[in-house]
Amino acid sequence: MKLVEMSIVNYRQFKKADISFDDGITVLAGANNSGKTSLITLIKNVFNDEKNVYCESDIPAKNMQDWINQVYPIFERFFLGDSVIEKIDEDLVEYILPKNEEEHPICIDTTRLRVHVSYNPEKDDIKLFADYIMDLDEDMHDFFFEYYYEIKRTKFIRVISKEFEKLKKEI
């Protein structure tokens, strides 16, 4: 199995990067803080069997700041008004991540990764991907998969509820 290329969007210092891997050995070289460790960490997190470790520090700071600028007035109205923890879902989160899928959520532009993998069906063990692959062309043995981080409404509510008193004091 061969990792052919990766497209990374919004991961640490990568705003957008397309990386191709040569046959044989690929060497990562670059100056300090150029993204070598970030690339290895991302690959490890995506391909590792263990639980994926992804946190807000993996989102570029500019994306985080843009999102904060959009949602801060919503938080401010909620916490300066008659905010109670029981109303987080309907009076706060509903404006940011609406239940109605037709309404547009105010989401952070988070990490997206597109991976191109080439394999030899006679040599390579692709059991981890087999459920997702269908060879329509018997001469082509490549597949693509996409990984992205999505903010879940339930987790967002849980975090705000946990930090309710702290947020109320700070706003």
Side-chain angles (χ1 to χ4, degrees):
M1 194 168 338
K2 178 184 183 306
L3 186 58
V4 178
E5 61 186 354
M6 294 174 63
S7 293
I8 304 167
V9 177
N10 296 324
Y11 184 72
R12 297 185 182 176
Q13 62 267 57
F14 295 111
K15 180 66 179 159
K16 179 164 180 10
D18 295 314
I19 301 167
S20 296
F21 299 93
D22 292 331
D23 288 334
I25 297 174
T26 299
V27 175
L28 294 177
N32 288 343
N33 203 31
S34 63
K36 299 179 301 290
T37 302
S38 293
L39 177 62
I40 297 301
T41 302
L42 180 60
I43 291 170
K44 183 183 85 171
N45 283 344
V46 171
F47 289 106
N48 196 346
D49 285 345
E50 297 171 16
K51 185 177 178 182
N52 190 340
V53 180
Y54 185 87
C55 63
E56 63 275 356
S57 63
D58 292 331
I59 301 169
K62 183 178 182 337
N63 295 22
M64 186 71 76
Q65 187 61 54
D66 290 347
W67 181 77
I68 289 169
N69 290 343
Q70 285 185 292
V71 300
Y72 186 81
I74 298 167
F75 274 83
E76 190 174 45
R77 276 194 307 274
F78 177 76
F79 283 104
L80 292 178
D82 282 338
S83 62
V84 290
I85 200 164
E86 294 79 20
K87 294 283 195 167
I88 289 172
D89 187 13
E90 64 188 76
D91 289 351
L92 175 65
V93 176
E94 182 61 27
Y95 294 101
I96 299 167
L97 299 172
K99 289 177 190 171
N100 181 347
E101 292 179 14
E102 292 177 13
E103 294 182 40
H104 186 68
I106 305 171
C107 292
I108 290 178
D109 200 3
T110 60
T111 301
R112 293 186 310 277
L113 173 69
R114 186 170 193 259
V115 179
H116 176 189
V117 177
S118 181
Y119 68 97
N120 179 334
E122 279 126 40
K123 292 181 183 177
D124 295 325
D125 180 6
I126 59 166
K127 66 182 174 195
L128 293 176
F129 302 102
D131 291 343
Y132 309 103
I133 299 173
M134 181 187 333
D135 285 335
L136 299 174
D137 183 339
E138 292 178 10
D139 297 327
M140 295 282 299
H141 301 291
D142 292 62
F143 63 90
F144 296 84
F145 72 89
E146 292 192 19
Y147 161 89
Y148 63 94
Y149 182 76
E150 179 179 76
I151 297 171
K152 298 287 185 192
R153 183 184 171 96
T154 53
K155 185 173 182 179
F156 191 56
I157 292 168
R158 193 169 46 245
V159 169
I160 294 169
S161 298
K162 182 181 172 194
E163 300 295 330
F164 183 83
E165 291 303 323
K166 182 179 174 184
L167 286 165
K168 192 169 186 160
K169 287 177 187 173
E170 289 182 10
I171 294 181

